Amino acid sequence: MGAVPPSDDGQTRIRRRHWTLAGLACLTLVFGVLAVLSPVRADAPVVNWPKAGSAPTSTVLPLSPYRPLDIDATIPCQALNSVGADGGAALNTHPADGPGMNVTARSGTARFWVDGQEVLVDSLRTSCVYHVRADAGGVRIDRDGVLLLHRADLLPPQVSELSTQAADTGGLAVQLHPDARYESTPTALKTVLLIAHGLSLFALLVLAWRVWRGTGPGMRFPRFGAADAVVLLVSVAWIFLGPSNMDDGWYMMMARNAGENGYMGNFVYMFNVTENPFVLSQYLLQVWGELGGWSLWWMRVVPTVCGLVTWMFLRVLLATLLGRAATLRAVPWALLAAHLLWYLPYGTTLRPEPVIVMCAAATLVFAEAAVLRQSIGALAVATVCAALAVTASPSGVVAVAPLLLCLPWLVQWLRAQPWAARVAAVLLAAASATVVVPVGFADATLADVVEATRVHQWYYLSFSWYEEFQHYNTLLNTAGWARRLPVLLTLAVVVVVAIASGRGGMGRDPIRRLTLVSVITTSVALVLIALSPTKWVNHFHAVAAAPTVLLAAVLLRSPLPRRAGLVVTGASVLLLVGAVSLSFAGDNRWMPFTDAGQRFGEHLNLDSMTNNLEPHIGPLYLRNPLIWVGVAVAAWLWARWRRRHGQVVRVGPDRAVLGAASFGAVLLMLALFVVAPIGQAPGWTVARSGVQAMAGGCGLASDVRVQLPAGRLGPPGEAELSGDFATTAPPLPTSPWEEPTTIWHDERPDGSSTGTGRLATGWYPIAEPAPHVTVPVAGRLDGQVLEVEFATPAGVVTETLHPELRRSALREWQQLSVEVPAGASALRAVVVDQVTGARTWLAVAEPKLTDDRPVTELTRGRAVLANHINAPLWPCVDQVGIRDGITDTPVVRLTADEGLPPEWLDNISNLEWGGAWVGTTREWVQTRLHAELPGGPPRAPWGNVFVIRYLHPVGQYDLRVPTEIRSSLERFPTLADNDYPDIERNAGTQQSESDSEAR
């Protein structure tokens, strides 16, 4: 019998519900749009120099972004007249020759420089006052109210200091507004609108679920089993054992600094612009970090929970799609292998991908529920999940793939519905997507998001969708074997399934249907990820949800038809063998920090051509395709034997290769990361540090030791100087020790001499012994003679100093230490500069006796900058931040090493990428201390410890932070312009090479 049509009253009620849904969806959309467009309460910091009641004192003021919104400087003529007969600066906003403002006097003239251009020369009077005003309208200079210059083409000058050489500073003053455009909080109006939007969206989803819950089978929830226990156990263990990611500290610092300045800034690059609307994962990290601290193990709980929730969703998906076949014992174990194949190399990162994969898995489940039950309500929930994925990162667009697969039945459903239902469904979809509003726009304006997007595209390495091949180039050129394998295996399986589906389809087998659906979803996701503007290997993890299901399906049942034929089978097996072999051709290197103790090859050898890090057992390399061909042939022979004896064949050549590669890779990963910390014992490891941090340990700070002054040297004899060595003003403006010290150098910047010579300091009596002596050096260090001589009862003993040659020492000191021989009574440093040419000078400071002490004696109570690579391993330090458009001024800096290129460690000052700390680094001189991470077998260099000293005192200004109401559409001068940081070319896609050169 057919279904009984509803009565007229019933149709009226249904129609009323549809229009109610449409009205509620409209209300949600209106609230969302109004929330985006509503004003915010923004910080408007003001800096006044000098401090109230004080005379002007030169001070460091590193702005980030580099230029203030406006600056107003008052320079009395008496200040210019008092800079000295040889001339000097009455006001600098930047070190000499930099892109700031310099107001100087010489030979009776006042000279004004902005961004390296001399914009005004004026005859200097005895009594007058100059005013310099710079803002979005340009630079204006007047004298006693008479306008002398207006340059509309000039930007406000960059500011990293406010300094003066004037003797008479009366009346000298500066007021400026740092660019803190992104520091804002919702107004009361915006808060009300956000709450109203959230309530209306929740009510809309509930009503849509009730009205359009659909008919047919519901989702099935599997019982907790052994495979679930294994996933839980491995996931918890992986919090401590899992590999580190180069970006973990970066994302953690975004989250940590957001608590200080009130918005999610980039912290490292692009002037610390907001990351909105892609901030979901950082918000989760921020909340979690503020609850329990910022150690790596604690922060990894967030991606671990995401991984477990993903597993739960995928278990439900397979139980639902497979029906009775889900009760097969192999099902959870196949899913386990596929899940861990992706999770183990990628899953514990603090990057956004774990959140994206979780949202994508949820989208898969609810989209499948929508298809099975013809439920628009479930489809709305799936839309919410996909939209949330996009708020984590642009690569979150991959979560839309399951929704696209719903379009065919959705179109059919819409055609069969009355207009009220159609309108309501379309509005419901649009309203569901507005879940991005409270995440992406709660504390950001529309103008903020538009400008931040431009800045990201301008300064960061960005690619168009049609350049997706760069993604795969990066995978093959930079990724290790375990990060290659799930991606390449997925691609190979997609091609194999495509071949198989052309040979008769998938039939009615639920596993084959699962294979076909998941391969289409995977293919769409791989196409969608091309829309992501960046092409790093980490982004591949975003697609993991659908490929995990796909790999589980083909592990359960061969993707090939029963009678595929020799050609199809052979081609498919060769594709799989090629993918597996190419994957295992990658190195087994796990930087940063989790490479210590790893097996295969010479991990202390940084030369990838000779270190032999590819997985192998003796001469047997897993990259060798003959191994995997052998697996396939063995499986084929075994299957042939079983067929001849009338037995069922369950594993063919293709599944044998898939199974051996998948289960083998999972077991190999587990073994490597369990054995690594054991092999490195008793030395420091991430795993040991995580366990210690649970009990109150402080990560690397618990083990790192540095050479600090100890003992005492007596007064030295007379130094022996030859060649160009002298004690004139040194090339570096700060001392490498806390107190003033004698510095010898041979710099001859005028080229009048070769800049070579020999220095032998006087003999220093050892008054109070200490284990080591430390000598600070700077300049061109390679090719030089650097030694310490000791007077001992057996005669003079010479020890060679070994500088760090991978870092330039032209702008920093290096403290080099050697042990003091037993019985030594005196010592001296002997250096010979034998390198000629420009910038080959050598500087040496007085030696001191030192002893290795815990690094906590250096960091305790001090402002510390742990860099974006190793920050999670320094949870107890007083980490600096960026607030009110000004960077903090750390006095200790901690960086990673491990053979990484030095420029990676200094990304904070990468000018072409808008490094957020450029101004700070221009004002400091670093002293690299001799630091060690003792214990255990030899390991790659662990990192660096620097003491920072500034060109001027810090904090000699007043800062007020009033607030103002700001429209969501109010735009500030753009940062996405090469004139802003004063660079010749940018890294993004907006500007071609020729355009950059034209500038």
Side-chain angles (χ1 to χ4, degrees), residues 715-721 744 759-765 828-829:
E718 186 174 351
E720 301 173 11
L721 307 179
W744 301 271
L759 160 70
T761 69
W763 286 97
Y764 290 81
R828 70 174 182 175

Side-chain angles (χ1 to χ4, degrees), residues 541-585:
H541 184 213
V543 306
T548 297
V549 178
L550 173 61
L551 292 176
V554 296
L555 285 171
L556 288 170
R557 187 71 51 85
S558 171
L560 301 177
R562 295 182 183 274
R563 299 177 181 177
L566 185 61
V567 174
V568 171
T569 301
S572 299
V573 169
L574 288 178
L575 277 171
L576 296 172
V577 167
V580 174
S581 300
L582 188 57
S583 298
F584 281 109

Side-chain angles (χ1 to χ4, degrees), residues 36-58:
V36 170
L37 297 178
S38 61
V40 296
R41 182 171 295 278
D43 292 342
V46 183
V47 170
N48 285 284
W49 178 78
K51 294 174 73 73
S54 301
T57 301
S58 296

Side-chain angles (χ1 to χ4, degrees), residues 252-254 256-258 260-261 267 862-867 871 874 877-883 886-894 908 917 920 924 948 950:
M252 193 197 79
M253 290 311 302
M254 291 186 205
R256 189 169 185 172
N257 196 57
E260 299 289 337
N261 63 11
F267 190 79
R862 296 188 175 188
V864 176
L865 174 58
N867 83 332
W874 298 93
V877 300
D878 182 13
Q879 181 70 257
V880 295
I882 306 173
R883 57 184 66 83
I886 305 170
T887 66
D888 287 339
T889 48
V891 295
V892 178
R893 183 174 175 230
L894 308 166
I908 60 172
W917 296 77
T920 324
W924 75 31
I948 294 173
Y950 291 90

